[in-house]
Amino acid sequence: MKVFVTGGAGYIGSHTILELLKLEYDVVAVDNFVNSKPEAIKRVKELAGCDFSFYEMNVCDDWQLDELFTKHKIDCVIHFAGLKAVGESVTKPLEYYENNLNSTMVLCETMKKHNVKNIIFSSSATVYSTENEMPLTERSRIGGCTNPYGWTKFMCEQILRDTANANEGWSVALLRYFNPIGAHESGKIGEDPQNIPNNIMPYIAQVAVGRLPYLSVFGDDYDTPDGTGVRDYIHVVDLARGHVAAIEYLNSHTGANIFNLGTGKGTSVLELVSAFEDATGVEISRKIAPRRPGDIAVCYTSTENTKKELDWETEKTVFQACADTWKWQKNNPHGYDSISRSHEDIRINSKSSS
Ligand code: UFG
């Protein structure tokens, strides 16, 4: 079975390709490296011990995409490619709508032309309304997104739902991710944000390795057990396996199908910091800061639907995710650029340098 992966060099894309290759899927991947590095593709090939077709390409380029679909007989598409920085989307909304919506539409047009009917879309729990009760289920209310990035996910989901309704035999999986963290256990691939990280785990990892002085804990007065925000942190390798489960599901189901990919467990900011310290022996300096605008107190998913329908559930713990993140960050203090910057002095904020 041939799977076409867009955004294959990204954080979740690279881990998913590795899982696919391990299970002997045939992979064709593209990335334009706007937020990723070619080194990620090289390392996935090394870890898998096999090769796959890769093209440097923008998914919005309909001509190149048509050529690729002519050359390769694709069975299923996984669409990761997209801009994803929440804050940046507020300052550059048109870039976000242009890129994320266009790529999805060009992809669907090309799939239609080449009679490819299975697609998995990389969506987010951000599509849920903030008015919902916890845990979120696939039937919780959506909409009322707080930023353009969230709206692009919401709109792409709608485009895919409408396309599935209008075209006989289409199978769509809308995968709503909770908070992906961690790295492959080898420490060779992981999350490599290009600027100061927005998300907490890469931020903690950069504090640990000495690239950032301390973590700002955004708010300690939420209505949660320790006052800090609670999220559903899912190990990226579990998330990658969720995509494999979705491919199998689409082989026997049509229409648009929604799945929340999370662990079902909430972890607070302070619990996450403690887990990181316990898993690594590295102390994380932190300061309590004001709440971050747009944040909610608690967000986690029910796992009932994914257990029943996808026969998938997470296997790895937050502790393991912290250990794996540290292995990646310690071995690659500047992410995939570390080889060219290895002469620089990296100060590890560690009592022991375990
Ligand atoms: N946090 C800090 N300090 C930081 C960064 C984050 O205290 O420096 C806290 C946040 O306040 C929140 C928690 O850590 O309580 C998680 O924050 P992240 O930014 O890592 O993740 P979010 O839950 O805010 O956002 C994630 C994804 C988005 C997605 C959103 C909703 O990164 O893409 O979930 O599903 F839109």
Side-chain angles (χ1 to χ4, degrees):
M1 179 168 192
K2 197 173 256 194
V3 183
F4 175 51
V5 179
T6 76
Y11 175 42
I12 304 169
S14 55
H15 287 83
T16 302
I17 292 176
L18 187 52
E19 292 307 307
L20 290 169
L21 293 172
K22 280 205 298 208
L23 294 168
E24 297 185 358
Y25 282 89
D26 206 352
V27 172
V28 182
V30 297
D31 203 300
N32 64 356
F33 301 123
V34 71
N35 192 30
S36 59
K37 296 281 160 58
E39 179 69 16
I41 296 296
K42 191 173 150 238
R43 295 204 190 169
V44 170
K45 289 181 180 179
E46 279 167 16
L47 286 168
C50 65
D51 204 0
F52 62 89
S53 303
F54 178 83
Y55 303 88
E56 182 172 348
M57 177 192 300
N58 187 332
V59 187
C60 296
D61 185 333
D62 55 350
W63 190 82
Q64 278 197 51
L65 202 61
D66 185 51
E67 241 192 349
L68 186 148
F69 273 70
T70 304
K71 185 159 180 218
H72 297 274
K73 193 180 162 344
I74 307 292
D75 298 297
C76 182
V77 174
I78 310 183
H79 182 31
F80 292 109
L83 301 175
K84 61 169 194 178
V86 172
E88 184 185 61
S89 78
V90 177
T91 54
K92 299 178 179 171
L94 294 177
E95 269 183 44
Y96 273 69
Y97 289 115
E98 159 90 29
N99 184 80
N100 292 2
L101 270 59
N102 243 347
S103 57
T104 303
M105 288 191 288
V106 168
L107 193 52
C108 287
E109 284 293 350
T110 310
M111 287 173 62
K112 255 187 83 179
K113 182 170 168 197
H114 291 268
N115 208 26
V116 179
K117 298 181 172 180
N118 290 1
I119 179 167
I120 293 168
F121 178 62
S122 175
S123 190
S124 165
T126 198
V127 301
Y128 287 113
S129 156
T130 53
E131 311 288 297
N132 287 297
E133 306 261 297
M134 295 296 144
L136 293 168
T137 76
E138 287 77 356
R139 289 170 306 285
S140 296
R141 278 188 305 283
I142 57 170
C145 301
T146 51
N147 55 72
Y149 159 76
W151 281 118
T152 68
K153 292 295 178 194
F154 179 93
M155 290 176 193
C156 286
E157 282 199 359
Q158 191 61 41
I159 290 166
L160 287 162
R161 259 192 297 270
D162 290 342
T163 306
N165 287 337
N167 295 283
E168 182 82 32
W170 268 57
S171 308
V172 172
L174 306 173
L175 304 187
R176 296 177 178 161
Y177 309 154
F178 282 68
N179 291 62
I181 59 168
H184 188 258
E185 62 187 5
S186 64
K188 290 203 186 306
I189 56 171
E191 189 168 12
D192 183 20
Q194 303 300 298
N195 301 306
I196 293 183
N198 298 305
N199 296 121
I200 189 160
M201 193 50 137
Y203 205 105
I204 292 175
Q206 291 196 15
V207 171
V209 84
R211 285 176 66 180
L212 293 167
Y214 61 88
L215 171 75
S216 296
V217 175
F218 296 142
D220 67 347
D221 56 354
Y222 285 107
D223 185 13
T224 61
D226 65 18
T228 64
V230 168
R231 296 290 183 276
D232 188 337
Y233 295 100
I234 172 172
H235 195 297
V236 65
V237 173
D238 278 332
L239 187 62
R241 290 184 186 134
H243 293 73
V244 178
I247 293 179
E248 285 162 14
Y249 182 89
L250 291 189
N251 286 335
S252 53
H253 296 80
T254 55
N257 308 275
I258 301 166
F259 299 106
N260 285 353
L261 298 191
T263 66
K265 288 189 213 76
T267 303
S268 75
V269 171
L270 293 180
E271 284 171 339
L272 186 65
V273 172
S274 292
F276 191 93
E277 291 182 331
D278 292 348
T280 65
V282 182
E283 226 177 338
I284 301 300
S285 309
R286 86 285 313 246
K287 289 185 184 168
I288 304 299
R291 289 182 179 194
R292 184 173 62 178
D295 273 356
I296 52 172
V298 181
C299 181
Y300 63 95
T301 183
S302 157
T303 56
E304 224 174 276
N305 184 50
T306 42
K307 276 184 198 151
K308 183 162 159 260
E309 297 295 331
L310 283 187
D311 194 20
W312 167 90
E313 58 184 311
T314 58
E315 289 166 14
K316 293 177 181 271
T317 61
V318 164
F319 187 87
Q320 278 172 302
C322 291
D324 293 338
T325 297
W326 182 227
K327 192 163 186 190
W328 153 252
Q329 189 74 66
K330 195 174 48 162
N331 293 342
N332 307 273
H334 288 280
Y336 292 113
D337 275 345
S338 299
I339 309 164
S340 55
R341 300 181 63 166
S342 56
H343 60 283
E344 287 182 25
D345 180 33
I346 299 297
R347 178 178 57 85
I348 294 178
N349 290 337
S350 175
K351 286 178 187 162
S352 68
S353 59
S354 61

